[in-house]
Amino acid sequence: MKKYDYDLIVIGAGSGGVRASRLSASYGAKVAIIEESRFGGTCVIRGCVPKKILVYGSLFASHFDDAKGFGWSITSASHDWESLILAKDKELNRLENIYINMLKNAGVDLITGKAVVRDSNKVEVEGRTYSAEKILVAVGGKPFVPDFPGKEFIITSNEALDLKSCPKNIIIVGGGYIALEFAGIFNSLGAKVEIILRSNKVLSGFDHDIRNTITSELEKRGVSIYNDQAIKSLKEDKSGKLKLDLGETILTSDKVMFATGRTPNTLKLGIKEVGVGLNKKGAVIVDDVNCSSIKSIFAIGDVTDRINLTPVAINEGRVFAERFFNNNPITLDYNNIASAVFSQPQIATVGLTEEQARINFEVNVFISRFNPMKNTISGRNEPTMMKIVVDKNTDKVLGCHMVGDDAAEIIQGFAIALKCGATKKQFDETVGIHPTSAEEFVTMREIKSQ
Ligand code: NDP
């Protein structure tokens, strides 16, 4: 008789947990997955997917504008927020069902309810205990909101995806991925958007040319950015308007959204109590095989707060299943992982920023700013910015950065080049596709003077 009910219990049916369960089951493991909310997790239910649907929906506003230059006359375009939200919800239901069916077809047992880890091999769900040789924690994270008077009036990305109507004005606190993506959505749908930063620029950690370009493009689109602000309080007046006190200024708005980072979902999970080591943010500390301080408990994805991106969690799930259930001890290379911000205009990046590269390398920097062909006819004043950072000594390309249409689609390809260690000479020898914006990445010749 088997010592445990399962070979593997996965807690959390998001992107990482689902990949780990399905793959482990396909290699013959007996697997259960526990989910307290909806199958699909942050990416499918509360993140990437619904956000991108709203981005697509909002982008039509600029498409209608641009169309005029090409001879279209659009007399009255209006947007119905409710229809967009309904369409989004329908798609999420479809995807959730696909996730559930994929798990069932893989032979994974689905358990719904709140999981609490009781010891190194036991998990309790609503009064029933299940045992497993290995427990994989893949519970993700949730929005972090700092404490301040009036915190109860704010919304986060969770609620922003399900608003009953599109706000006429919205204040967004934070200047990271989520803040800029929602600023783009609401701005394009006609809302007045104000961004509040505690620092002096959006997108900390990104290349400075990206940060400067997106700042001026957001401002051109009418988004106001308030730098170096500290939030004193938030109050609701009799008419339901919100008043955000920034000390010297009081801003009034229909909605105040916080996009001030995310925090690992480890509270009340029982793992701390059984001895799993957590860092100051509450993230599970894992070694290079995703093992926690308890040798039967592992963690992947946002709950480990390493690189908090869906494809990273998926690959961590894959690597986990390969190593422990397919006798294939592979590891994940965390270098040169590309990412995109679906702001308007879009941002994508792979490799080192100029600032990071200058710490250890002598660098050559190539920058191109140009008006894409479509804009010359539409009249849109929105230049694209592309940048390449190169190691002067080896000619290796260390980073590619872009702000402009299709940045994410373009940078994905260049991520492969960086993974292969491509040199600037090889970029130069690559024949471009004309007429595209992407060809600019293989035709930049002039080194930027410092
Ligand atoms: P980010 O870490 O990207 O940005 C957080 C922002 O909030 C920063 O501007 C930060 O300021 C600010 N901030 C943090 N704490 C406070 C505070 N106490 N008071 C005021 N401002 C504060 O977090 P997000 O919430 O935007 O996104 C979380 C993560 O989710 C991202 O880092 C990313 O990994 C992932 N994500 C990825 C997406 C994608 O791939 N397209 C989309 C959405 C999310 P400062 O700059 O000063 O630190």
Side-chain angles (χ1 to χ4, degrees):
M1 202 175 122
K2 275 212 163 187
K3 193 169 167 198
Y4 302 108
D5 301 332
Y6 292 99
D7 298 313
L8 172 67
I9 287 181
V10 177
I11 308 177
S15 304
V18 167
R19 176 55 61 94
S21 343
R22 284 176 55 210
L23 209 54
S24 302
S26 78
Y27 294 138
K30 187 163 187 243
V31 183
I33 190 163
I34 307 169
E35 173 57 55
E36 65 171 329
S37 174
R38 293 180 63 183
F39 284 75
T42 302
C43 174
V44 175
I45 306 294
R46 292 172 291 277
C48 325
V49 174
K51 173 274 310 284
K52 188 121 190 234
I53 292 172
L54 299 201
V55 169
Y56 278 133
S58 67
L59 274 172
F60 284 97
S62 56
H63 296 337
F64 291 138
D65 266 355
D66 291 350
K68 290 173 196 154
F70 292 88
W72 290 93
S73 60
I74 294 153
T75 39
S76 67
S78 62
H79 184 256
D80 180 30
W81 172 267
E82 232 175 279
S83 304
L84 176 60
I85 298 300
L86 268 175
K88 181 260 298 174
D89 289 343
K90 197 171 155 205
E91 176 59 7
L92 300 198
N93 289 339
R94 189 184 74 85
L95 291 174
E96 186 181 17
N97 282 327
I98 290 177
Y99 265 67
I100 290 171
N101 287 332
M102 281 188 318
L103 285 164
K104 284 182 179 164
N105 293 341
V108 175
D109 285 352
L110 276 58
I111 301 169
T112 49
K114 167 81 186 162
V116 182
V117 176
R118 291 300 182 202
D119 73 25
S120 47
N121 300 93
K122 285 202 184 90
V123 184
E124 188 183 318
V125 185
E126 290 171 7
R128 190 160 164 202
T129 301
Y130 304 87
S131 65
E133 190 183 338
K134 288 186 172 55
I135 295 170
L136 179 65
V137 178
V139 291
K142 60 181 178 198
F144 159 79
V145 181
D147 275 328
F148 66 95
K151 183 176 171 176
E152 63 275 19
F153 299 118
I154 66 107
I155 59 167
T156 67
S157 55
N158 288 348
E159 294 75 34
L161 291 165
D162 281 320
L163 292 174
K164 295 275 170 278
S165 59
C166 183
K168 292 212 165 31
N169 42 58
I170 183 162
I171 293 169
I172 301 179
V173 181
Y177 284 79
I178 296 179
L180 294 203
E181 291 177 343
F182 279 88
I185 292 166
F186 290 122
N187 172 255
S188 283
L189 290 177
K192 175 181 167 200
V193 177
E194 294 169 301
I195 292 180
I196 312 296
L197 302 180
R198 67 175 174 185
S199 58
N200 63 1
K201 206 162 281 177
V202 297
L203 289 181
S204 308
F206 280 68
D207 188 276
H208 68 272
D209 281 305
I210 286 204
R211 301 174 76 189
N212 292 338
T213 307
I214 192 66
T215 301
S216 68
E217 293 310 320
L218 285 170
E219 286 173 342
K220 258 176 18 200
R221 286 176 175 238
V223 174
S224 309
I225 302 177
Y226 296 79
N227 295 333
D228 304 311
Q229 300 295 324
I231 284 150
K232 304 274 183 259
S233 67
L234 180 64
K235 290 189 181 119
E236 192 179 35
D237 71 13
K238 280 183 196 138
S239 65
K241 288 268 180 207
L242 297 172
K243 306 257 180 208
L244 184 69
D245 186 348
L246 298 171
E248 284 176 8
T249 326
I250 295 181
L251 298 177
T252 304
S253 197
D254 292 339
K255 296 279 176 210
V256 174
M257 172 177 167
F258 268 64
T260 42
R262 295 176 61 84
T263 187
N265 253 333
T266 46
L267 220 61
K268 298 186 183 158
L269 191 60
I271 51 176
K272 193 175 169 197
E273 291 71 13
V274 302
V276 170
L278 306 180
N279 71 14
K280 268 197 228 151
K281 272 185 78 179
V284 181
I285 302 167
V286 289
D287 62 15
D288 54 3
V289 299
N290 297 305
C291 187
S292 75
S293 51
I294 302 283
K295 73 178 192 324
S296 56
I297 301 183
F298 298 77
I300 55 165
D302 288 7
V303 75
T304 62
D305 196 28
R306 289 173 287 181
I307 299 181
N308 298 332
L309 298 171
T310 297
V312 174
I314 290 173
N315 277 289
E316 287 170 352
R318 175 178 64 85
V319 161
F320 171 85
E322 287 293 339
R323 172 175 292 269
F324 295 109
F325 296 103
N326 194 31
N327 197 22
N328 178 20
I330 51 172
T331 51
L332 181 60
D333 178 4
Y334 288 87
N335 292 310
N336 291 327
I337 291 174
S339 82
V341 185
F342 295 98
S343 49
Q344 298 177 32
Q346 208 174 86
I347 294 167
T349 174
V350 60
L352 301 182
T353 65
E354 182 180 339
E355 297 83 337
Q356 289 166 339
R358 285 196 187 284
I359 297 169
N360 294 316
F361 303 91
E362 272 191 278
V363 298
N364 283 332
V365 172
F366 300 80
I367 291 197
S368 176
R369 291 177 213 276
F370 59 96
N371 207 19
M373 193 175 158
K374 188 176 156 197
N375 291 1
T376 59
I377 304 295
S378 68
R380 177 170 294 281
N381 172 20
E382 196 170 272
T384 287
M385 193 283 291
M386 288 177 178
K387 177 166 180 178
I388 306 177
V389 182
V390 179
D391 179 350
K392 208 175 195 170
N393 295 314
T394 61
D395 197 41
K396 207 168 147 180
V397 177
L398 302 172
C400 292
H401 310 277
M402 175 174 173
V403 182
D405 281 352
D406 303 319
E409 308 289 348
I410 292 170
I411 289 291
Q412 178 67 86
F414 285 97
I416 303 173
L418 262 68
K419 198 100 198 143
C420 298
T423 60
K424 179 65 170 61
K425 182 166 179 279
Q426 289 170 320
F427 271 46
D428 295 345
E429 286 168 354
T430 303
V431 177
I433 302 173
H434 186 71
T436 62
S437 290
E439 67 180 317
E440 201 70 20
F441 267 122
V442 296
T443 54
M444 283 189 237
R445 299 287 185 267
E446 203 176 314
I447 296 171
K448 184 188 118 182
S449 53
Q450 287 186 32

